[in-house]
Amino acid sequence: MTALRLFEFATTAALAVTLSALPTTHGRLADRSRVVKARGSRRDYNNLAIEGAAYRGRHENTAVDADAGDGGETSATKNYRNVKRGMISNNIRDGGGSPPDHENKVGGMDLGFGADSNRQLRGTSSTETPEEFSRRLSGQLTGCCYTYQKYSAAKMCSLYGQDCESGETPSHDSGDESCEQEGLSFIGISFSVNTPSGNPYSYQLCDQFPMENIIDRNYDYVMSMDEDGWLVGGGYKSFDYSGKMPYIDSSHTELLRIGSLDVDKGGTTIEQVYEAMSSVTFAPFSIYPEYLKGGGGHHSGDNEDQQKVPSSDVTLIVSVVDTYEDGDSYSSYEIFLNNLFSAMQAVNGGSCMDDHDTDPHVSMARGVKFKSAYHQEQYMYSANLEVAVWQAMYPKGTPIGSKGYASFPPGSRGNKQYVGYGNLYFFFDRANITKAFRPYRDLTDDEAAYATLYTSSDVSSYYANTNEIGFDYSGSGDGGGGNWEHNPYSWKATMAMHDMTDGWDLPPNCEQEGETFFGIPLSRKSDSSLQVSTSFQEQFNFEHIIDRNYTYIKSFGTNHGWLVGEQIGNGAGSIVDKDTAHIPIFYIGTTNPNMGGISLSNLIKVGKRIEFGTLYIKPAFVFIDDNGHIKLQFEMDPNSALAYLYDNLCKELGIAWNYDTPYNKEGVYTNCAMHASGDRAKYGCGPDGTGVGGFCPQMTVAYSARFQSEEHAAAYLDQCNNYVDYWRSLYPSGVAVGTNQFCPSGGCLGLFLNRYDLYNVFKPDLGGSWVEYGGGSLQPTFSPAPTWKGGCDEPHNFHLDKCFRKRMKPKASAVVWDSLGAVGQFSIFLIAFMAVTLSISIFLARARKRRRKGESYIDFMFRDAKRKSKKRKKRRLKGNKDLEESMLGDEKSRSRRSSRSKSRSRSKSKAREREREHVRESARDGKIPRHDEDEETSNRKDKRSKEEKSVSGRSHRSSKSRSMSRSRRSSSRHKSQDARSSSRSHVEGDATSPRSVKPSRKDDDENLSPRTRLV
């Protein structure tokens, strides 16, 4: 009995030690990689694979797992891996077609690729290196989506309740068989402005209309809009609270729709447009603002559903003023249109060009939802009151333009050119002006007065005197047609699956929309080195599911084309964006805490604390949703790490709803998230979900695609899903996306400011985070999209942002000079001018005083410079001993001693002069013998020289030189006086007298006795 207890105790202790040795983890979903890490092997105790290709092959054929050890492989295993490796080919990146037929057995082993399974693509090879193969399948350690591994894309589409076969979607066929592709290029007038609240790269092309005054940037009336936001008023910055696309101001009015630029599809080339425009002339056109209206747009019928807030477009109606040149019977605008159509016909313009002019208008915003009918009415009144002020300022219209400078296109070789007034522009798309066309004449005096009124004079009187609207704007979507109001408590969790071309229905206590979200980045860098963004995954090449050649698709319902990256020069004239492929998981809303949101810094703090496993995704099928958008559906597995992450995001950041409240350790929350705190992945879409939640992983491929016909739509979906079948066979248990440079382990989570900007990245298992933002969210005016090879040396790439910044980078000196402004530049010029004139004046004054006779000013300048250089050299060689003396403490004493020495020397010289006169008078009288006189004179001279030496030794060097010069001048005066006195004595006395000859100092010294010399 005792032995049995000891055995039980030993067993319990061993089990405890074993458990303590295992790594500690927090509770989360089951993960086979943790089991493998704990056991140190990919095999279980029965030598069966629990991970990797052998584990997946076990579900296909148990013979794959028949090897005896961890490192051993059977021939069947090797054959299986070779086939799998051959399927992962360069075609993933570079292209390929539909899967061809091939044998399903290798070496007698059935690989399980049946009729509904995918097969190897045409043109593929098995040249992929083992490192690349390992990288592609390294993310399949835990996996997801095992339930429907055998299902094809078509079957998955039916399980999710979507139609992927009939192609029943609006074709938008115009009936013009000669035009196979619609386009968005046009000739028009720009109203772009550059404002402090907008994008700093916006053009300033309109000084007449302050478009910022007719938009609701503060969300006083508007509840939400589409992802582009306000198209006028300056655009958006990258870190705007609303999370709108960081585009420049693209406000304009079309005069002529050129349409497609693809000649093969019935379009017109850019060169043809330039040639036609260069052959016509036009006078500056004056624009008159009419009124601002709502309504229209593809969402204008939303008000039929009383449960939803109606959405519509906001548009400013303008008109071209009819002006007549001298002797013309038709207006300048009518003559221009007639000549332009003739010129386009002369250059063989395509059939896709409109055969009539476009009604002038300025599209301001799309998919706008107001807070209520009252808010819409108040906004319409406020905006139209501003339009009334403009009408008072410009009763006859005004030419549009600016006195600033701009470059068209931005990558052109020349410097910025003067914008001027009355220009027309060619728009490749609404955000890209490629060329400006100037009128043939300047503005008249009246036109110039109107064009410069707002910028050169005080217009406050117009605002003060305009108190009412003198035109009728009723019936223009002003809100008077109903009495509706947004009910925030009608919000539903399914609204998270949102149409980005329409506005949001906001939850309670949220005052501003936002596009910030957590998601999985799927974009890739193009083959061109000019794209500023990096590749975030290399597992999926979405080029195989888009129609670059427009074989099936005719155009798009928005200005955006393919969201996985648009090409420069695309025939449809879509905005040239970089690749923005992603899977949105959790929409945060606005990052403005004052409007009910959560700040970006707090959002990152919460994100760093959320623990989640490696995120695996698996494509399911491609379909067209109810809004006409092309989407790629991914499998919704409620038991995957992605679903677990969604549950935690709802628990920590979801809104309080149905008695469920969020909780996180940071204590920061938001009222603007589009997900409820009680929502879970199991409530999401798909056969495993209930369909009442907001979890449905999808990637939008394109907005509002317009197909040639229903047959074309069905053929397109069939081709896309054929390739999706290949992906499903390639990754049967999903894949964790990443690259060797970005998230090497795969399965990372990204925080997006908007669809364009990935800001922060979080690694699984609390592995850390980093900021990814930088250089990737430039506005599309400088296209970062894939384009010509050759880098910035290729002329076709001069207009791209990287090349433009490289070639047009201003010098630092020019930046500093421009920063001074007009006042600072003039001040520096004035100071420099005064300094030069003062230097010249000083030189002329010095030259007049010191130049020699007949010497020119130039000769004097060189001589003076040489003399100064010699002085400097002497002083440098001789040294300056004054530095060894005190420069502060002895200065006053030296000056006092110098003054005393000067006064003493003057008094002594006067005394000696009086004594000398006395001696001369005595000598004339005969009282003093000549020998004694000479002796006394010599003594006085010796005594005087000793005194001068003693005084000069105590004084400063400069004082010494001045005193010595004075003593020399005084001695010369004494000598001249002695000479005069001796001459007088020579006249008065005897000629033979010894006094008539004055002995020299040398003779006096020789005549003196030794005793006299010593004394």
Side-chain angles (χ1 to χ4, degrees), residues 291-337:
Y291 61 92
L292 186 142
K293 76 180 189 70
H298 64 287
H299 291 288
S300 59
D302 285 358
N303 54 358
E304 296 177 359
D305 186 355
Q306 300 298 327
Q307 299 298 325
K308 293 183 179 180
V309 176
S311 63
S312 61
D313 297 347
V314 177
T315 307
L316 173 65
I317 304 300
V318 298
S319 61
V320 180
V321 178
D322 289 331
T323 57
Y324 297 85
E325 300 297 314
D326 295 338
D328 290 338
S329 301
Y330 296 94
S331 66
S332 300
Y333 185 55
E334 292 174 335
I335 295 175
F336 164 73
L337 289 177

Side-chain angles (χ1 to χ4, degrees), residues 129-142:
T129 63
E131 290 77 10
E132 292 175 338
F133 174 74
S134 175
R135 173 67 195 93
R136 291 185 182 280
L137 298 183
S138 63
Q140 300 190 36
L141 301 181
T142 54

Side-chain angles (χ1 to χ4, degrees), residues 965-978:
S965 62
R966 294 191 189 97
S967 63
R968 285 195 296 270
R969 289 196 296 270
S970 62
S971 61
S972 63
R973 288 196 297 270
H974 296 162
K975 291 180 181 180
S976 61
Q977 292 176 1
D978 293 342

Side-chain angles (χ1 to χ4, degrees), residues 42 81 85 88-90 93 126-140 538-539 731 735-736 738-741 744-745:
R42 292 189 177 185
R81 293 186 179 178
R85 184 175 302 170
I88 309 168
S89 62
N90 294 331
R93 291 195 184 95
S126 58
T127 59
E128 189 174 44
T129 63
E131 290 77 10
E132 292 175 338
F133 174 74
S134 175
R135 173 67 195 93
R136 291 185 182 280
L137 298 183
S138 63
Q140 300 190 36
E538 56 186 14
Q539 286 70 32
Y731 309 115
V735 62
T739 67
N740 293 326
Q741 287 75 32
S745 300

